[in-house]
């Protein structure tokens, strides 16, 4: 999806009332005026561009049909048919068309200066979540951030490196796996905590990570909420339901509220510029009114039957004929089209919250 296609999508969304169109040229001027330097990303499969390709884990998306609409139709490790929201954000800000992973062997100087993702599919705020799947925990992602800083100093010197970090946008996008792949599946955390207590445990982990980022030099932070968990096709299949699970959606809404509240608190105590991206509301709106946003299928994935396949179980399967009409790419992850919508909303909140 190039800039022209993004612009058309944004105008269409504005017409249906989800958002006002983002003026990309004005956004770039605003970013330049505020010395915004790069995007640094932490999280799970929602923002992992392929770091898991380098890991000994089954949680990978570096095979067909993943990447069907990516550059040259190449599977990159992104758990979607094309690009992620963070890729679109980087392009709109005038950097590059994609954000590479920190473990990408093709990482170059330009990538290092304009955006890196430390994210790892199947990770979460709880390090146990990542450890269960042999992926990169949030603690390890923070460790990689420090390694990145070392590389950055070597590239541009200590003063310039500090300036780049001070003017970067730090993005955190995770939480889904903590509940669906950890708390509700494994006996450890559910024996230690009630659901509400586990939410608080995750909030504490997020808060600690942001405080550490601040100590390193972060001044602009975006936290992404969790989607309506009860609407994921995989959840519907395993619960034998045809409508979104209300209890799980209430949990997602509650957790999002706590994320927002903690972020507001950190804004005050640390002097950060912060923004919360409420994807629960955005995706919920699309799922309730799919045709208004150009979709015809909102509760099934495009891969295979669309009911349970994701990751390894999606390998080599046939896909729907028109990916642009589906909200979900597989039974868990979204299509490039939906990520385009999320990117536009993110750009809107960034321009209001971080660049004013």
């Amino acid at each position: 999806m190039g800039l022209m296609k993004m612009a058309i999508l944004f105008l269409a969304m504005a017409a249906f009332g989800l958002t006002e169109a983002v003026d990309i040229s004005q956004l770039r001027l605003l970013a330049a005026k505020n010395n915004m330097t790069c995007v640094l990303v932490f999280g799970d499969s929602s923002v992992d561009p392929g770091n898991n390709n380098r890991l000994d884990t089954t949680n990978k998306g570096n095979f067909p049909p993943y990447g069907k609409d990516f550059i040259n139709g190449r599977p990159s490790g992104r758990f979607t048919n094309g690009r992620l929201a963070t890729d679109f954000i980087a392009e709109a800000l005038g950097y590059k068309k994609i954000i590479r992973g920190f473990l990408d062997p093709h990482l170059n100087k330009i990538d290092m200066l304009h955006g890196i993702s430390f994210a790892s599919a199947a990770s979460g705020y709880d390090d146990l979540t990542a450890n269960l799947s042999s992926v990169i925990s949030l603690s390890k992602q923070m460790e990689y951030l420090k390694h990145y800083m070392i590389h950055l100093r070597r590239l541009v010197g200590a003063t310039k490196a500090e300036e780049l970090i001070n003017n970067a946008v730090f993005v955190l996008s995770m939480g889904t796996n903590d509940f669906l792949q950890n708390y509700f599946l494994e006996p450890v955390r559910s024996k230690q905590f009630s659901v509400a207590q586990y939410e608080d445990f995750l909030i504490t982990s997020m808060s600690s990570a942001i405080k550490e980022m601040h100590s390193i030099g972060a001044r602009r932070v975006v936290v992404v909420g969790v989607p309506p968990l009860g609407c994921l096709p995989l959840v519907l299949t395993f619960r034998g339901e045809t409508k979104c699970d209300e209890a799980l959606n209430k949990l997602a809404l509650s957790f999002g509220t706590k994320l927002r509240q903690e972020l507001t608190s950190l804004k005050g105590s640390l002097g950060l510029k912060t923004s919360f991206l409420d994807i629960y509301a955005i995706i919920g709106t699309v799922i309730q009114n799919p045709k208004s946003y150009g979709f015809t299928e909102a509760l099934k994935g495009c891969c295979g039957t669309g009911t349970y396949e994701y990751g390894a179980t999606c390998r080599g399967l046939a896909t729907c004929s028109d990916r642009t009409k589906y909200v979900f790419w597989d039974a868990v992850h979204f299509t490039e089209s939906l990520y385009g919508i999320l990117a536009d909303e993110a750009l809107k909140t960034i321009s209001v919250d971080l660049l004013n």
Side-chain angles (χ1 to χ4, degrees):
M1 185 182 292
L3 284 177
M4 182 60 72
K5 289 173 69 178
M6 286 174 68
I8 292 170
L9 174 63
F10 297 162
L11 289 171
M13 288 160 55
F16 289 115
L18 183 62
T19 184
E20 295 178 3
V22 172
D23 187 323
I24 294 175
S25 61
Q26 284 297 111
L27 179 68
R28 289 182 177 179
L29 287 173
L30 197 57
K33 181 181 177 182
N34 285 269
N35 300 314
M36 187 177 286
T37 52
C38 64
V39 182
L40 301 177
V41 187
F42 306 80
D44 56 20
S45 58
S46 61
V47 287
D48 178 4
N51 282 317
N52 278 19
N53 296 351
R54 314 297 295 176
L55 305 181
D56 184 15
T57 177
T58 57
N59 290 279
K60 297 181 181 182
N62 58 344
F63 43 79
Y66 290 101
K68 199 164 191 174
D69 299 297
F70 192 65
I71 301 166
N72 297 323
R74 176 178 58 85
S76 64
R78 290 166 175 78
F79 282 76
T80 185
N81 57 305
R83 289 191 288 166
L84 301 169
T86 40
D87 295 316
F88 291 133
I89 290 168
E91 181 181 20
L93 290 172
Y95 302 146
K96 297 190 69 179
K97 290 189 70 173
I98 61 171
I99 289 183
R100 293 192 184 276
F102 183 66
L103 300 184
D104 189 330
H106 302 295
L107 202 63
N108 59 42
K109 180 178 179 179
I110 301 299
D111 297 320
M112 295 287 285
L113 295 178
H114 290 306
I116 294 291
S117 177
F118 304 93
S120 179
S123 193
Y125 287 113
D126 183 352
D127 279 0
L128 176 60
T129 302
N131 295 338
L132 289 168
S133 299
S134 301
V135 298
I136 309 167
S137 66
L138 180 55
S139 295
K140 189 67 175 180
Q141 291 179 39
M142 293 302 299
E143 186 180 320
Y144 283 153
L145 171 63
K146 293 170 184 174
H147 286 301
Y148 166 75
M149 287 291 296
I150 293 171
H151 290 300
L152 206 56
R153 291 189 190 102
R154 289 174 181 168
L155 275 176
V156 297
T159 302
K160 183 65 174 177
E162 183 179 353
E163 179 185 323
L164 282 166
I165 294 298
N166 288 162
N167 290 295
V169 176
F170 285 68
V171 178
L172 291 86
S173 178
M174 64 196 98
T176 296
N177 299 308
D178 292 313
F179 294 107
L180 299 185
Q181 298 295 329
N182 185 348
Y183 189 86
F184 291 118
L185 279 185
E186 302 295 331
V188 180
R189 296 304 191 210
S190 57
K191 287 182 178 180
Q192 288 179 295
F193 306 113
S194 66
V195 174
Q197 288 172 335
Y198 188 57
E199 288 180 74
D200 294 338
F201 173 81
L202 298 178
I203 296 297
T204 299
S205 175
M206 179 205 74
S207 183
S208 297
I210 292 176
K211 288 174 181 176
E212 188 174 355
M213 290 173 185
H214 177 262
S215 70
I216 291 170
R219 297 297 179 263
R220 297 182 176 116
V221 178
V222 177
V223 171
V224 182
V226 293
L229 300 176
C231 297
L232 301 183
L234 185 67
V235 169
L236 297 181
T237 299
F238 280 107
R239 298 206 169 199
E241 298 174 0
T242 56
K243 294 183 179 180
C244 299
D245 184 272
E246 189 176 337
L248 278 178
N249 279 356
K250 283 183 178 179
L251 169 59
L253 186 60
S254 169
F255 185 59
T257 299
K258 290 183 177 182
L259 286 172
R260 188 196 298 267
Q261 290 172 341
E262 182 63 20
L263 193 59
T264 300
S265 175
L266 290 168
K267 177 181 179 180
S269 62
L270 300 178
L272 292 167
K273 285 191 173 184
T274 64
S275 185
F276 178 73
L277 184 61
D278 186 1
I279 66 169
Y280 179 93
I282 300 166
I283 296 169
T285 299
V286 173
I287 287 175
Q288 289 173 11
N289 309 282
K291 291 182 180 179
S292 297
Y293 305 103
F295 298 107
T296 57
E297 179 53 70
L299 294 176
K300 281 187 179 180
C302 177
C303 178
T305 65
T307 58
Y308 71 90
E309 302 94 337
Y310 74 101
T313 54
C314 186
R315 183 190 288 267
L317 296 184
T319 62
C320 58
S321 58
D322 189 350
R323 278 86 68 188
T324 66
K325 300 298 183 183
Y326 278 65
V327 171
F328 289 92
W329 167 245
D330 59 23
V332 175
H333 306 98
F334 303 113
T335 56
E336 179 182 69
S337 296
L338 196 280
Y339 279 129
I341 292 176
L342 296 181
D344 185 59
E345 288 297 307
L347 290 166
K348 178 182 173 185
T349 62
I350 287 172
S351 63
V352 171
D353 298 335
L354 304 187
L355 297 179
N356 281 329

